[in-house]
Amino acid sequence: SQIVGALRGNEAWRVGDPAMGATFAQTIPPSEAQRSLAVAGEAFILLENFYLEDRLFGLGHDLTHFDPISPAFDEVDHYIGSAELGRGFFGAYPNGGEERVWTTDGSASGTRALFPAEGWAFPVDAVRSADDWWVLATVYLGVESELQLWRTDGTVAGSSMLSSLPVEEEAEGSRVAAIPGWILFTSPLPDSRSELWSVPAEGGSATALLPPGVASLGRFPSLSAVSGRVFFRACDVAHGCELWVSEGTPETTRLFQDIRPGASPSSPDQLLTVGNELVFTADDGLHGIEPWHVVVDGGAACREEHGALCLDDGRFRVRASWKAPVAEVGDAGELPLTPDTGAFWFFDPDNVEL
């Protein structure tokens, strides 16, 4: 089972089997530094932040080790790591040097500076695809800054930049996602908006994906890759903020579903991939903010279910709801007619309304 770690003062605790509760792992040598736990694949990392002397310690898989795995840094920041990612990425600069993007697998031999050769840099997001990692980094080059997309196998020789974009806004909320053949990422725009880009996985120029008049809302947009598609929230005048999807090209980037029909937004949020399902929250205007899910298997996007019509070979999904004056609400029943048409009934199958 996956072990969960926690710090309590100078003590490290772990939770493996939830039925057994938390168990004591070890006492960590005391320090005046600010400490926090992080994850690098299957290993735990202790981040120790102290004035002009930040360090990383490896605690192993079960929090029973305490081994220094990095030199003393002037500062460590922007740590990104998880069990799914398989390693950690962070910004650090030792001995007064320039900040670089570093990586660690939880061991001293697997902790090293990666890129870039020039400028100050720190990671803002990272994703794993097979044996490679795609790292989105902010790089400061004098008075200018860039958002750079890097591909790495965790070594200096195996790291190469795929794309760079000049940015004037804060890029810490930018996100990256990988699907077969394409890497998608966001860059900041003024007024708390974001642009969506794609780059071929083998390298090439970045292509803007969103149609004119459409933007991803928020400095911290959410990208979720599910079965070869990337889902995200985007906004336009006609639909408000709704659920959009892309397969890496402008032609495949489109509105996935207008959950709250019309210009009012359903504001999909907290997008999460669970197997071949997308789970998120949204407000359809009738039921408030509730959990939603979409099953994605690479075939037709729409799935037959009560209250929904799938039209044009599953390309379009149509729903209808009713609302009484006393705030009672309900979903209409569906009545398929042809592959491209249908009707909806309220209260009784014989009471066709739409």
Side-chain angles (χ1 to χ4, degrees):
S1 61
Q2 177 65 43
I3 293 179
V4 177
L7 288 179
R8 180 184 178 186
N10 294 322
E11 296 178 346
W13 290 69
R14 63 178 180 265
V15 177
D17 182 356
M20 299 297 293
T23 58
F24 173 75
Q26 69 162 316
T27 298
I28 298 172
S31 171
E32 296 181 6
Q34 180 180 351
R35 288 169 160 174
S36 60
L37 273 183
V39 178
E42 295 185 354
F44 284 95
I45 304 295
L46 179 71
L47 302 177
E48 191 172 86
N49 301 108
F50 195 63
Y51 179 69
L52 294 182
E53 193 171 298
D54 293 358
R55 294 178 182 270
L56 275 69
F57 296 87
L59 300 181
H61 171 66
D62 56 1
L63 287 90
T64 58
H65 301 277
F66 187 76
D67 305 315
I69 61 173
S70 76
F73 296 109
D74 286 352
E75 185 175 5
V76 173
D77 55 21
H78 298 88
Y79 187 91
I80 300 169
S82 68
E84 294 76 17
L85 191 59
R87 62 172 50 244
F89 297 91
F90 57 96
Y93 52 97
N95 302 321
E98 293 184 322
E99 183 170 11
R100 299 282 185 262
V101 173
W102 285 61
T103 187
T104 182
D105 62 0
S107 68
S109 61
T111 302
R112 63 181 66 91
L114 291 179
F115 56 80
E118 297 181 355
W120 290 65
F122 58 83
V124 294
D125 198 18
V127 65
R128 184 178 185 177
S129 178
D131 294 328
D132 289 318
W133 288 264
W134 310 90
V135 182
L136 202 59
T138 294
V139 180
Y140 295 98
L141 303 167
V143 296
E144 299 180 348
S145 60
E146 293 182 349
L147 185 64
Q148 296 184 356
L149 177 65
W150 286 73
R151 179 177 186 171
T152 182
D153 62 2
T155 67
V156 177
S159 300
S160 59
M161 186 178 68
L162 269 70
S163 178
S164 66
L165 295 172
V167 290
E168 297 180 359
E169 305 292 329
E170 180 59 61
E172 289 192 42
S174 296
R175 294 293 178 261
V176 62
I179 56 177
W182 300 95
I183 309 301
L184 281 69
F185 66 97
T186 64
S187 67
L189 293 172
D191 303 324
S192 297
R193 296 176 298 128
S194 299
E195 178 61 272
L196 181 66
W197 304 83
S198 71
V199 175
E202 65 274 12
S205 301
T207 300
L209 296 180
L210 296 175
V214 180
S216 178
L217 181 65
R219 288 293 172 82
F220 296 86
S222 179
L223 302 180
S224 261
V226 189
S227 300
R229 303 174 183 179
V230 174
F231 291 84
F232 56 96
R233 178 175 65 175
C235 313
D236 63 15
V237 174
H239 306 95
C241 297
E242 295 292 347
L243 186 65
W244 283 62
V245 66
S246 178
E247 296 176 41
T249 65
E251 295 76 21
T252 60
T253 303
R254 60 179 177 83
L255 175 69
F256 180 77
Q257 184 178 345
D258 192 359
I259 297 172
R260 187 170 183 172
S264 297
S266 69
S267 300
D269 198 9
Q270 303 182 60
L271 277 65
L272 177 67
T273 300
V274 182
N276 67 335
E277 293 189 31
L278 174 71
V279 181
F280 59 98
T281 61
D283 183 355
D284 63 2
L286 296 172
H287 306 94
I289 300 175
E290 290 189 326
W292 290 66
H293 80 102
V294 176
V295 178
V296 185
D297 61 7
C302 185
R303 292 291 174 268
E304 298 288 350
E305 64 179 6
H306 174 67
L309 287 172
C310 294
L311 308 179
D312 194 14
D313 292 326
R315 182 182 179 189
F316 299 103
R317 184 171 184 265
V318 183
R319 296 179 61 94
S321 301
W322 55 266
K323 183 175 182 180
V326 293
E328 185 180 4
V329 298
D331 295 322
E334 78 284 0
L335 180 62
L337 299 177
T338 72
D340 293 324
T341 63
F344 289 97
W345 52 267
F346 294 168
F347 310 112
D348 186 276
D350 294 328
N351 184 33
V352 176
E353 295 281 358
L354 296 174

